[in-house]
Amino acid sequence: MSTVVGWAREEWERLYVAVREPLLRRRWRALPMTLGLVCLTVLVRFTQNQTGHQGYRLVQNLGGVRAEDPLWVALLRTPLSLCVPAPDLPVWGALAQILLVFGLAEICLGWWRTLTISYVATLAGTLYARVGIAVGPAALLGLSGTDAHVVDTGPSAAVVGLAVFLGWRYRAYVTAGAVIVAMVVEVVLKDNLAGKEHLAALAGVVVLCAGSELCQRRTAGVPVGVGSGLPPIRSWTRRRGPAQRRS
């Protein structure tokens, strides 16, 4: 048990320290964007389930992204697509993912960085779908023409991208690696558009992590490959007071 606890502290201590104080001090006010996304997702799901398919068509016209759409239309719909869960899956799963992952990211990174990373992940999946259909199913990770009519992944690509970015940023490498492995297994077991878009989203976020790491190294004047690039963090254990410190 002590080994598991020690590993958990090593893996998640930095993230815990970053989240704990703002959440205790501000509580739900620490994540207004996340709560807004959750409420908007609920509204979107309610709208698209209305009778007569009118609500569904409205949601798809505003936030449904497909590879068959003109690129400029897809880009206009991308912001709302983060709040369009798959109609054939339980909405509670999407809401839990948004609340947990977006909430952690908003507290740790700020709302605008969170949105930027989520859009990078989502756009990577969206653009990959077009390339995959263009190269055809014979190519590695290629797609068939029928996938052009399938709606993109919605919030899930942004969720996995944010999870990996947080894992890299706070050195929870095992957690980030587990997310990547899970997405690879998804593609192996269920070869569909959503799984491959998740891999494309992860690839986009990995490039973002590499660029951020390089910028941090250059700003701090640290050679690439040395240190973590992160500021020092406080430990879970209490710091010694002035009287306890060595003179």
Side-chain angles (χ1 to χ4, degrees):
M1 181 63 70
S2 60
T3 302
V4 174
V5 172
W7 173 83
R9 287 187 174 182
E10 177 65 24
E11 179 76 1
W12 296 314
E13 178 181 17
R14 299 166 186 83
L15 184 60
Y16 172 83
V17 171
V19 171
R20 182 177 182 275
E21 184 177 346
L23 198 56
L24 287 177
R25 186 178 68 252
R26 303 183 61 197
R27 297 186 182 275
W28 294 111
R29 291 177 297 163
L31 36 109
M33 181 205 68
T34 300
L35 295 178
L37 286 177
V38 169
C39 294
L40 186 56
T41 302
V42 172
L43 177 61
V44 167
R45 182 56 180 263
F46 174 80
T47 302
Q48 71 179 0
N49 286 348
Q50 294 302 298
T51 58
H53 301 288
Q54 296 179 358
Y56 178 80
R57 286 197 296 269
L58 175 63
V59 170
Q60 293 303 310
N61 288 335
L62 295 177
V65 178
R66 297 176 177 84
E68 66 181 354
D69 298 329
L71 182 58
W72 68 271
V73 173
L75 293 178
L76 287 177
R77 293 176 177 175
T78 295
L80 186 59
S81 71
L82 293 176
C83 302
V84 181
D88 56 337
L89 295 178
V91 69
W92 303 111
L95 295 178
Q97 291 176 4
I98 293 173
L99 184 61
L100 176 62
V101 179
F102 272 81
L104 290 174
E106 183 176 6
I107 293 173
C108 295
L109 308 174
W111 68 268
W112 71 270
R113 287 190 180 93
T114 299
L115 284 181
T116 299
I117 296 166
S118 63
Y119 283 146
V120 167
T122 301
L123 287 175
T126 297
L127 297 177
Y128 153 74
R130 296 170 182 271
V131 175
I133 292 170
V135 300
L140 181 64
L141 296 180
L143 299 169
S144 65
T146 57
D147 286 322
H149 311 297
V150 179
V151 180
D152 278 358
T153 59
S156 59
V159 166
V160 297
L162 284 170
V164 169
F165 189 91
L166 284 173
W168 165 80
R169 179 66 178 83
Y170 290 94
R171 287 185 271 175
Y173 298 132
V174 175
T175 303
V179 173
I180 295 174
V181 170
M183 295 303 102
V184 173
V185 171
E186 178 189 14
V187 171
V188 172
L189 297 180
K190 191 176 182 181
D191 187 10
N192 58 10
L193 175 63
K196 292 179 178 179
E197 284 189 336
H198 290 160
L199 292 184
L202 292 177
V205 170
V206 167
V207 172
L208 194 62
C209 290
S212 179
E213 179 80 9
L214 184 60
C215 290
Q216 288 181 8
R217 304 292 187 184
R218 289 180 174 177
T219 301
V222 179
V224 175
V226 179
S228 67
L230 294 174
I233 64 167
R234 284 184 277 178
S235 173
W236 280 356
T237 57
R238 297 180 61 183
R239 293 182 176 180
R240 293 181 298 178
Q244 294 174 292
R245 297 173 183 166
R246 294 180 182 179
S247 56

